[in-house]
Amino acid sequence: MLARPIVFGNWKMHGLREQALALAGALADRAPRLTGTLGIFPPFTVLHEVARRIQASALWLGGQDCHDRREGPFTGCISAWMLKDAGCRAVILGHSERRRGLGEDDAWVRRKAEAAIASGLLVVLCIGESEEEWQAGRRQEVLARQLAGSLPEGANAANLVVAYEPVWAIGTGRTPRPEEIAEIHLWLRGQLGRLLADGERVALLYGGSVKAANAGAIMAMEGVDGVLVGGASLDAEEFWRIYRAGGGA
Ligand code: PEP
């Protein structure tokens, strides 16, 4: 069971070596020990060096994607075992920027997640509805479909975290109201309980325009175990304040 709050930072396609090491170092220096779980997900190219820089800290390191095979003729791809080898403990899968921008469907995400679990990584599985789906009142239908379609075989509360990330909230400065996030998380917990033996214990994160200013209210909600942060995770001070706002020390 991961210690709460769980605060993960998705750096996306940001981080040349110097900038990445400075950011990782600033966080590692604040985190020799942690009461919660704080993790960073830098680009592949800096993983090895960042792993070395943070090795004396309690920070988690993760990758932003992986292939569904261990190795082979897959030009440009990275396997879950390579991420492990680089020092990662987790991987983000099913992010909407990959589902929508790169055509990843539920079945593909599930295969990747199964590979990640086989390699020993924690899977951070992202799901979320688009603005049109939300406005059409189809949120639960979309989330149920994504969950059922991309949930990996062998998933349990020890190897899976689910991140609810409404697409319309990512990078937009807009978020659902905290009560609305709590309601969806409660509903998701029920869905997970039906799909997995220990599904009710799977950690649930909220993601989408989380900042230090709104993180406390979001993480105070019942059923919210933490947050997945994009833009605000590129500023060490702001990211640390988000973690602290969730009660982490
Ligand atoms: C994300 O892309 O996972 C994310 C939550 O982005 P942001 O915090 O920038 O909205």
Side-chain angles (χ1 to χ4, degrees):
M1 182 95 145
L2 297 177
R4 277 40 168 185
I6 302 165
V7 175
F8 285 158
N10 173 11
W11 292 9
K12 311 192 185 189
M13 201 169 71
H14 297 282
L16 298 180
R17 283 177 61 234
E18 193 180 331
Q19 177 198 9
L21 288 170
L23 177 52
L27 288 166
D29 293 345
R30 283 178 170 84
R33 285 172 303 282
L34 291 169
T35 58
T37 307
L38 186 64
I40 53 176
F41 293 70
F44 297 139
T45 48
V46 295
L47 283 174
H48 275 280
E49 275 191 275
V50 167
R52 251 198 311 277
R53 179 62 185 85
I54 68 171
Q55 70 185 357
S57 79
L59 283 182
W60 278 57
L61 182 68
Q64 298 175 19
D65 181 51
C66 70
H67 196 269
D68 60 12
R69 305 280 284 274
R70 182 187 279 263
E71 59 183 3
F74 305 107
T75 303
C77 299
I78 300 284
S79 81
W81 286 264
M82 290 170 178
L83 294 179
K84 278 276 298 190
D85 190 46
C88 291
R89 299 170 73 183
V91 60
I92 295 171
L93 293 171
H95 193 283
S96 60
E97 286 158 10
R98 297 195 66 90
R99 287 181 186 265
R100 295 161 70 86
L102 298 166
E104 293 190 5
D105 62 10
D106 288 331
W108 194 1
V109 173
R110 178 172 42 74
R111 288 198 304 275
K112 289 176 180 221
E114 285 166 356
I117 287 175
S119 78
L121 292 175
L122 173 80
V123 171
V124 182
L125 177 66
C126 300
I127 56 173
E129 82 284 358
S130 68
E131 178 139 34
E132 304 76 61
E133 290 161 342
W134 170 51
Q135 280 175 350
R138 295 180 49 222
R139 172 149 63 188
Q140 294 188 352
E141 170 203 324
V142 171
L143 295 179
R145 193 189 62 229
Q146 289 180 346
L147 208 52
S150 52
L151 209 58
E153 192 72 35
N156 58 47
N159 60 25
L160 177 75
V161 167
V162 172
Y164 166 56
E165 298 206 302
V167 178
W168 52 273
I170 294 179
T172 60
R174 297 160 62 206
T175 63
R177 286 174 296 105
E179 300 74 25
E180 211 180 323
I181 295 172
E183 194 183 312
I184 287 290
H185 278 220
L186 201 69
W187 176 81
L188 280 172
R189 205 170 288 289
Q191 297 289 307
L192 283 162
R194 270 190 286 281
L195 292 162
L196 303 175
D198 63 352
E200 302 228 342
R201 302 217 323 272
V202 170
L204 289 176
L205 311 185
Y206 166 76
S209 296
V210 174
K211 310 268 181 282
N214 61 16
I218 292 171
M219 284 189 273
M221 288 290 132
E222 196 190 337
V224 180
D225 299 303
V227 287
L228 178 56
V229 185
S233 70
L234 296 172
D235 177 330
E237 184 58 38
E238 177 80 0
F239 189 53
W240 181 251
R241 289 199 349 244
I242 290 172
Y243 173 70
R244 297 283 303 203

